[in-house]
Amino acid sequence: MSRILIIEDEQAIAELEKDYLELAGFDIVIAGQGDEGLAIALSEEVDLVILDIMLPGMDGFEICQSIREKKDIPVILVSAKKDDMDKIRGLGLGADDYMTKPFSPRELVARVKAHLERYDRLVNSHATKNDIIEIRGLRIDKTDRRVFVNGEEKTLTTKEYDLLAFLAENPNHVFKKEELFRKIWDMESVGDIATVTVHIKKIREKIELNTAKPQYIETIWGVGYRFKA
Ligand code: CA
């Protein structure tokens, strides 16, 4: 069972997060003070940290940095201030994710699961050769680059596969089309971001039951795409 540390001084929020995460099968420990939270994060067995920014004792920015110096576990930063999000990005604190309050507890649970799965894959990627991503009937076998939907194999082109696998390896992360284009096509081809749109459309036609209501790759209007975990 994964153990999650919630560092949060607003008890009602901490309890709400705890309830939802416990229902999802996680073991929860709560710290209401920054310094206390950091001590637990560093000294105890913890798999993921949900970290509020405004805290008594020591703020979330400092805690995040201190955890990063010692441990590699996923950290999700939480803030009530939209401005903090820019600061988090700017500081390069090494947070894996950030959420603005108020957020839905379900969304939090989904992100926690996605980060733990991603972390597991990272940690285990050296140990196992059979790297398989499996989400809601979609199975991506990375050892031989094969894709199955409910057991039925789908034939993807090289770039379609690369794009799908990359998105699925980074679930719930929103990627801009430009980022995806750079990542997947690199410098090897002349094209523009419309190439990404075209490939997403082709992938959806192959893996989605209903392309009008995609359940795997979600379009974030005006930004890009994300793989829903
Ligand atoms: Ca707070």
Side-chain angles (χ1 to χ4, degrees):
M1 191 195 284
S2 296
R3 189 151 187 260
I4 295 166
L5 170 63
I6 299 171
I7 309 179
E8 169 66 71
D9 59 323
E10 285 171 70
Q11 208 186 340
I13 294 178
E15 291 293 336
L16 182 70
E17 292 173 358
K18 177 175 186 261
D19 288 348
Y20 272 82
L21 289 163
E22 276 182 349
L23 271 175
F26 297 110
D27 187 14
I28 308 300
V29 51
I30 295 176
Q33 300 262 338
D35 38 6
E36 172 202 359
L38 178 62
I40 295 172
L42 297 184
S43 63
E44 294 185 21
E45 202 60 44
V46 169
D47 299 295
L48 182 144
V49 182
I50 298 168
L51 176 58
D52 185 35
I53 290 179
M54 293 283 286
L55 288 163
M58 188 181 206
D59 76 19
F61 295 119
E62 235 179 302
I63 296 170
C64 187
Q65 257 162 343
S66 304
I67 293 174
R68 268 294 160 271
E69 283 164 15
K70 302 263 165 56
K71 284 189 169 181
D72 199 22
I73 50 172
V75 176
I76 300 178
L77 278 169
V78 195
S79 172
K81 290 194 290 179
K82 283 231 157 55
D83 300 357
D84 279 341
M85 299 302 128
D86 297 329
K87 195 171 170 195
I88 291 164
R89 282 187 210 106
L91 284 173
L93 287 170
D96 296 86
D97 206 347
Y98 37 80
M99 297 179 81
T100 312
K101 290 179 191 171
F103 49 78
S104 96
R106 276 173 223 281
E107 172 78 16
L108 177 70
V109 171
R111 295 209 198 178
V112 163
K113 283 183 179 167
H115 284 293
L116 286 171
E117 277 166 22
R118 185 161 67 137
Y119 183 68
D120 268 356
R121 277 201 300 275
L122 269 173
V123 170
N124 296 328
S125 60
H126 301 292
T128 67
K129 280 217 152 122
N130 279 358
D131 211 350
I132 289 166
I133 300 173
E134 204 151 23
I135 298 167
R136 294 189 305 276
L138 173 69
R139 180 182 161 96
I140 303 171
D141 188 336
K142 288 163 65 190
T143 38
D144 48 10
R145 299 172 58 92
R146 293 167 80 185
V147 175
F148 300 84
V149 180
N150 299 320
E152 190 186 324
E153 183 160 12
K154 304 289 173 182
T155 310
L156 271 67
T157 64
T158 304
K159 291 300 179 197
E160 285 165 9
Y161 174 87
D162 288 345
L163 185 54
L164 175 63
F166 177 72
L167 286 167
E169 277 166 3
N170 298 281
N172 292 333
H173 184 108
V174 178
F175 289 100
K176 290 183 192 156
K177 290 178 189 174
E178 291 86 345
E179 275 178 273
L180 292 171
F181 185 73
R182 272 201 312 274
K183 194 84 202 166
I184 306 299
W185 278 267
D186 207 11
M187 303 302 283
E188 70 190 62
S189 70
V190 181
D192 56 62
I193 56 168
T195 313
V196 177
T197 315
V198 171
H199 277 73
I200 294 283
K201 184 168 176 282
K202 294 247 172 72
I203 294 168
R204 281 181 178 151
E205 283 164 4
K206 291 175 182 179
I207 67 167
E208 296 284 357
L209 270 175
N210 178 358
T211 53
K213 283 188 187 156
Q215 59 159 327
Y216 300 114
I217 300 172
E218 182 185 11
T219 301
I220 309 296
W221 292 107
V223 185
Y225 301 99
R226 75 165 172 185
F227 191 94
K228 284 193 276 186

